[in-house]
Amino acid sequence: MSIAVTESRPPAWRLLLDYVRPHRWTLLAGAVLSLLTGAAGLLLPLVARELIENLSHDRAITGALLVMSALVVANAALGALGSYVLRRTAESVVLGARRALSSYLLRLRITAVDRSEPGDLMARITSDTTLLREVTTDSLVGLGTGGLTLVATVVMMGLVDPVLLLVTLAVILGAGTVLGVIVPRINRASRQAQDAVGVMGASLERILGALRTVKASGAEDREERTLHEAAEESWRQSVRAAKWSAAAGNTAGLAMQIAFITVLAVGGARVATGAIEVGTLVAFLLYVFYLMSPIQQVVGAITQYQTGSAALARIQEALSLPSEPVAGPARLPSPGAEPAALTFEEVRFRYGDDLPYVHHGVTFAVPPRGMTAFVGPSGAGKTTVFSLIERFYDPGSGVITLDGRDLQDWELPQLRSAIGYVEQDAPVLSGSLRDNLLLGNPDADEEALTRVVKTTRLDGLVARLPAGLDTLVGHRGTRLSGGERQRVAIARALLRRPRLLLLDEATSQLDAVNEAALRDTVTDVARTTTVLVVAHRLSTVTTADRIVVMDAGRVRAVGTHRELVAADPLYAELAATQFLATAD
């Protein structure tokens, strides 16, 4: 799914200036060096004319040769220094854009992530920001320095011979008309090429994220075709953009060749009639040659701007996605902090305006301390309760309070610092086991880490690993079993010393021995904090202080296991079938 942003955006040149503004002085220094390089080059034809006149009048040429040599050396030195300064500045612009975009994407609302493709967002950070490098140097600076050099060259040509200048400008005007037709096509093709790169990135991320499933399903050939089609579309659009860019560049080159031939013919006739000297014609022809560089620079700047503006538009689209407010990290609860109390009051929620409601007036209350289990058929809205507590989503109506305070009034970092959350699929990030355990509390000391590792029965795993806690767990924890990943997720949550612990089927992949041990751990934690569990096993439910039975987005009953087996038919059925137990 691609990103769609309908509100009006500022023009690409203004966006580019926003990125360039922090580096304006170094960019200006590079531009000045480029102008000095051009100035040194502009003086060469005048010195060449002087040299030819000295030769024709048998005067000494030593001085002219020394000046030409100095200008050539200065041109090369200033050009190299200016190029380095501009390239370095362009890399700094790319760095700034990547920092800003990556920071923003980390704070996207989950609703925005749901509507986007992660691979496409990755392409905007990598591929699209890379194009800012060229658009900064080739487009922004190139247009400025090339344009000024072009104007200066035209002025010098006018001083040498106005008639030949008019001939040259007539040819250039014709080429400009052709370019006006070509440039918009470059913009469209460049945008479509960048969009295709995003589609390819999204396809690749989708496949690599489920590569085992793809292989087990024998779907490599089908997914390969999907990837190849996206790559070919990117190739087609890039070739299309290259075709129009080449046409633009060659139009400029052809115009200069025609200008040279025309100037040579007209200038030769003027020399023959005695209107100008041979030295003047040579100097003007040198300016025609020299004119090719700034014209190609300006044309290249315009074509590059079309490519860059497409990338800037895609970056701005990502920066227009809904995000959470920026706030500094909050302190984790201190040891012995009071557990949290939670209430839902007539909460209604759906994942999209075009989707049915998941919650239809959910109401329940959870007092401080103790374990509350949520049970019910699949799709009853149990996991959604946890997503609303974490404020990954906000309810459409109704009120959720933590410690009597509306969740909307909490700063997100402060709210989430009080919560430990173990997701249903217990994701593990690539990196070391230690990195994963400390993800939620990087300041935890070794004593706390060792204690939690032992509590979650990870000590045996750590002892077997070649580098202990510093062993790499692989992409998404592929070197760990499902049960080990769940224990890592639980340990990570416990290290945060949460006032409210959310466990979404946190023991579903554990064997009976480890499940019993962790169940005892959770029961012990529930004595000092508030624990909410989405449970599909009777063993978890029977130890809960209260059970919330959900069905079709509503709370139908609340009570203990013994009370609900006797009073609620749905729960009695679940206890007898899904929980594989008999009614007590």
Side-chain angles (χ1 to χ4, degrees):
M1 188 183 300
S2 61
I3 295 172
V5 179
T6 57
E7 66 262 21
S8 60
R9 294 188 300 269
W13 62 266
R14 187 176 297 171
L15 298 175
L16 179 60
L17 290 179
D18 289 339
Y19 285 113
V20 167
R21 189 172 291 112
H23 314 282
R24 57 187 179 277
W25 296 117
T26 52
L27 195 65
L28 180 61
V32 169
L33 288 170
S34 296
L35 287 174
L36 290 175
T37 303
L42 283 174
L43 292 174
L44 281 172
L46 296 179
V47 178
R49 181 173 68 174
E50 181 69 21
L51 179 66
I52 293 172
E53 290 179 354
N54 287 343
L55 284 172
S56 63
H57 293 88
D58 293 326
R59 292 198 295 264
I61 61 171
T62 305
L65 285 175
L66 289 175
V67 172
M68 287 189 71
S69 300
L71 288 174
V72 168
V73 172
N75 186 283
L78 291 172
L81 181 59
S83 177
Y84 167 74
V85 171
L86 290 176
R87 291 287 171 183
R88 189 177 188 279
T89 304
E91 293 294 347
S92 298
V93 171
V94 172
L95 174 62
R98 284 177 174 166
R99 280 177 171 173
L101 187 54
S102 58
S103 296
Y104 191 86
L105 293 183
L106 281 173
R107 289 168 175 80
L108 284 182
R109 299 281 298 177
I110 296 296
T111 51
V113 178
D114 290 343
R115 294 195 301 266
S116 309
E117 292 284 358
D120 183 56
L121 294 176
M122 290 165 55
R124 293 172 195 251
I125 292 181
T126 54
S127 174
D128 292 338
T129 54
T130 299
L131 292 175
L132 293 182
R133 180 189 303 121
E134 282 71 29
V135 79
T136 300
T137 53
D138 297 346
S139 183
L140 186 62
V141 176
L143 188 61
T145 59
L148 289 174
T149 304
L150 179 62
V151 171
T153 305
V154 169
V155 170
M156 298 299 290
M157 293 170 77
L159 294 175
V160 171
D161 190 83
V163 175
L164 294 179
L165 173 61
L166 291 175
V167 173
T168 306
L169 291 178
V171 176
I172 294 175
L173 183 62
T177 303
V178 176
L179 290 175
V181 176
I182 293 175
V183 165
R185 289 172 168 78
I186 298 174
N187 184 297
R188 286 194 296 271
S190 298
R191 176 57 193 262
Q192 290 167 353
Q194 288 304 109
D195 286 342
V197 170
V199 171
M200 185 172 65
S203 300
L204 186 60
E205 191 274 338
R206 165 181 167 272
I207 293 168
L208 293 180
L211 191 57
R212 285 173 173 76
T213 302
V214 171
K215 288 182 176 294
S217 304
E220 292 97 332
D221 291 341
R222 294 194 300 276
E223 297 300 335
E224 181 182 54
R225 285 196 295 273
T226 301
L227 274 178
H228 287 184
E229 287 171 3
E232 287 166 6
E233 178 61 20
S234 176
W235 174 83
R236 279 192 294 270
Q237 298 301 336
S238 296
V239 167
R240 186 177 164 209
K243 175 184 70 177
W244 291 115
S245 295
N250 281 284
T251 297
L254 178 63
M256 295 316 302
Q257 293 177 27
I258 295 173
F260 176 78
I261 294 172
T262 307
V263 166
L264 185 61
V266 175
R270 286 174 64 75
V271 169
T273 59
I276 57 173
E277 299 289 336
V278 174
T280 299
L281 177 60
V282 171
F284 197 93
L285 288 172
L286 287 175
Y287 276 123
V288 171
F289 272 118
Y290 193 77
L291 196 63
M292 292 180 66
S293 177
I295 284 182
Q296 289 181 335
Q297 194 174 11
V298 169
V299 172
I302 294 172
T303 56
Q304 188 62 55
Y305 176 76
Q306 302 309 311
T307 303
S309 63
L312 282 164
R314 281 172 49 83
I315 292 172
Q316 191 63 20
E317 281 178 358
L319 292 173
S320 300
L321 292 172
S323 67
E324 297 173 345
V326 177
R331 284 179 173 273
L332 293 176
S334 58
E338 283 296 312
L342 178 76
T343 63
F344 271 54
E345 297 177 11
E346 292 297 325
V347 171
R348 289 172 57 83
F349 171 76
R350 56 182 173 178
Y351 285 100
D353 294 339
D354 56 340
L355 297 174
Y357 277 95
V358 178
H359 283 174
H360 304 271
V362 170
T363 299
F364 62 85
V366 178
R369 290 188 182 83
M371 183 193 303
T372 300
F374 291 82
V375 301
S378 178
K382 304 182 296 296
T383 297
T384 302
V385 168
F386 288 5
S387 294
L388 292 173
I389 293 171
E390 283 275 8
R391 281 199 66 193
F392 296 148
Y393 307 94
D394 291 325
S397 63
V399 178
I400 306 172
T401 64
L402 187 73
D403 294 336
R405 181 181 172 193
D406 194 326
L407 289 193
Q408 302 285 343
D409 298 332
W410 287 75
E411 285 192 359
L412 282 175
Q414 184 185 11
L415 171 68
R416 291 171 182 165
S417 69
I419 302 173
Y421 182 30
V422 180
E423 299 174 61
Q424 190 169 0
D425 55 354
V428 173
L429 282 67
S430 61
S432 70
L433 180 57
R434 183 189 302 274
D435 293 337
N436 275 277
L437 292 173
L438 296 178
L439 183 67
N441 184 8
D443 298 325
D445 55 30
E446 283 296 321
E447 181 182 351
L449 187 59
T450 302
R451 183 173 61 254
V452 167
V453 165
K454 186 175 181 180
T455 298
T456 53
R457 292 207 166 192
L458 284 169
D459 47 349
L461 170 66
V462 173
R464 293 193 305 271
L465 294 175
L469 287 172
D470 295 314
T471 302
L472 299 179
V473 297
H475 177 61
R476 297 188 179 181
T478 51
R479 297 183 183 179
L480 303 177
S481 69
E484 287 166 347
R485 288 197 294 272
Q486 282 193 323
R487 280 179 279 161
V488 168
I490 294 171
R492 184 167 58 209
L494 292 178
L495 269 176
R496 289 170 63 82
R497 303 186 300 269
R499 299 175 54 233
L500 175 64
L501 180 61
L502 309 179
L503 303 175
D504 192 354
E505 299 185 54
T507 60
S508 60
Q509 298 189 55
L510 298 183
D511 56 63
V513 175
N514 281 314
E515 184 197 359
L518 279 176
R519 187 173 64 246
D520 293 340
T521 297
V522 172
T523 301
D524 186 56
V525 170
R527 294 190 180 97
T528 57
T529 191
T530 307
V531 180
L532 273 57
V533 181
V534 171
H536 282 174
R537 292 187 180 183
L538 181 66
S539 56
T540 303
V541 173
T542 54
T543 58
D545 298 290
R546 70 198 57 81
I547 301 166
V548 178
V549 184
M550 298 189 67
D551 184 27
R554 291 182 172 87
V555 174
R556 58 177 289 149
V558 178
T560 64
H561 171 66
R562 185 179 297 274
E563 292 168 349
L564 291 172
V565 165
D568 186 70
L570 174 61
Y571 183 81
E573 181 184 353
L574 291 173
T577 57
Q578 185 175 337
F579 293 148
L580 302 179
T582 57
D584 186 356

